[in-house]
Each structure stands twice: as structure tokens, then as C-alpha cells.
Amino acid sequence: MTTVGNGDLVPDSSFTKLLSSIFAFVGMGLAGLVMGKTGEFLAAKQERILVKAIHMHHKVCPNEFEKELEANLVIKKRLVISIVTSLLLFVGTIHLTVIEGFSFINAFYWVCTTITTLGYPDESFKDTRGRIFAVFWMLLSTMSLIHFFQDIIELKFDCRQMALVKLVLAQMTKNQDLEAADLDGDRVVNSSENILYKLKEMGKITQEDISLAMKDFEDLHQSGS
């Protein structure tokens, strides 16, 4: 289920081999689902940025206390997941050393190959207590590591977006920029058009997003709604 795959217990009949083949795809599907949720999370984050920009006129400048609180929560979350992942690594290593009788190096090696879902067959849980422990530990540790890497991706994503935002906002506005921001072609650029243009330049939305929203508005406008 966690796509680890140790070789100490293997299917030994045609039926169990067929069942394991199906279950292997289920495990990969689960991993794909987690990656898909990561993509949805980043997309949702972009949507929140867009909504904030659209409603900018409701609050001229963001509350500094709110910004600091949000930043502290993000740092706290990343710190917690880092501590949890490290703790699971430590607990797994100690368990293998004490219960299974592994050397410290072999225990740490097995923990690393398992938590990263590699699962070499040269080392594995032999003791019944160890296998019961492994059922819960493997699920928790693999999910924790995925969450940890998701936070790293998110951090890199945020840094890249912040750098692009600063670059776009630091550029001097030229006539070509004003012409590009004039979405309805009336030779007048209002604040909404300017915001949309800046968001597009920052890579937060695409021209397709803008076109779809404009078409939806035009349909409403023509119907007199």
C-alpha cells in the first residue's frame, strides 16, 4: 500500500500473485492521489492569491499583525512536520536496534530505504512485535516524509513567486504595458484591468483564465442580468 515492497514475504500461488498484481496498482494509485492532492493544494493557493487581489480595494494595506501571524503559522507547521519526520526516523531506528537486534547502521539503513518507499529485501522485520509496529510506523513515516517534501516544494514555489512579484512590481510601466492591460480595448485602463495584467505577468493567472472570466461576464451583461 505504501509502495515499499520488502521481499521477506512474497506471493506463493497463482491466486495471491494475481491479487498482489492488482493491489500493486492500488498502491501506485494511492501515491498518485497524494501527488494530485499536492497539485490541488498549490492551485488552491493560487486561487486565494487571486481572490485577495480582486478584493484589494476592500483593504488598502494588509494588517501587519495578520501577515506576521500567517507567516508564524507557516513556519510553525514546517517545523512541526520536520520534527515529526525526524522523530519517526529515530523511533524506527531504535525499535529495529532493540527489538530486532539490528546494528545501528543497518537499522538506520533499513529505516531510510523504507521511509523513502524503496524497500530492499536484504533487511526486514522478523519479530511479530516488529511487524505489528511496522504496520503503523510505515504508514505514518511515509506520509510524514511526503508531507515534508510537499512543504519543501511549497517553500520553493513561494520563493519563486515572491521573486517574480517583486520583479514585476519593480518594472517601470511602459506604453506597451498599458496597451496590453487594456482588456476591453476602450483605451482606458482601470484598476481591475491593471490588477489582472500584473497577475498575468506574475504568472498567477493565464490569458485563458482572463478570457473565460470575461466571456462569462459578457454573457451576463448581454442578457441584462
Side-chain angles (χ1 to χ4, degrees), residues 62-205:
N63 189 302
E64 291 299 325
F65 176 74
E66 290 179 1
K67 287 174 65 178
E68 185 177 351
L69 183 62
E70 184 177 352
N72 288 337
L73 286 174
V74 170
I75 293 172
K76 184 178 180 180
K77 185 189 77 169
R78 287 172 180 159
L79 183 61
V80 167
I81 193 62
S82 299
I83 293 173
V84 169
T85 304
S86 301
L87 185 61
L88 285 168
L89 279 167
F90 176 77
V91 169
T93 302
I94 295 301
H95 179 89
L96 284 168
T97 304
V98 175
I99 303 298
E100 299 288 344
F102 285 22
S103 68
F104 180 81
I105 296 298
N106 285 344
F108 183 72
Y109 157 77
W110 190 92
V111 163
C112 290
T113 55
T114 300
I115 199 172
T116 54
T117 74
L118 290 175
Y120 296 127
D122 54 338
E123 299 285 0
S124 62
F125 286 103
K126 300 293 191 302
D127 189 85
T128 302
R129 291 173 299 171
R131 285 179 173 164
I132 294 173
F133 168 79
V135 169
F136 301 99
W137 179 84
M138 288 170 71
L139 283 169
L140 287 172
S141 59
T142 51
M143 287 190 293
S144 176
L145 188 67
I146 289 171
H147 197 167
F148 176 76
F149 282 127
Q150 177 182 308
D151 280 347
I152 293 176
I153 294 170
E154 183 187 353
L155 179 62
K156 185 177 180 181
F157 176 82
D158 288 343
C159 292
R160 182 177 178 182
Q161 285 292 314
M162 192 178 298
L164 186 58
V165 167
K166 289 180 179 179
L167 178 64
V168 170
L169 294 179
Q171 290 177 343
M172 295 292 291
T173 302
K174 304 174 184 176
N175 288 339
Q176 293 92 330
D177 297 327
L178 292 173
E179 290 173 4
D182 183 16
L183 299 177
D184 54 11
D186 62 355
R187 300 187 64 79
V188 176
V189 178
N190 57 37
S191 60
S192 297
E193 289 177 320
N194 185 60
I195 289 171
L196 287 173
Y197 175 71
K198 291 294 184 183
L199 286 173
K200 179 184 170 185
E201 289 294 293
M202 294 172 190
K204 298 184 183 297
I205 58 174

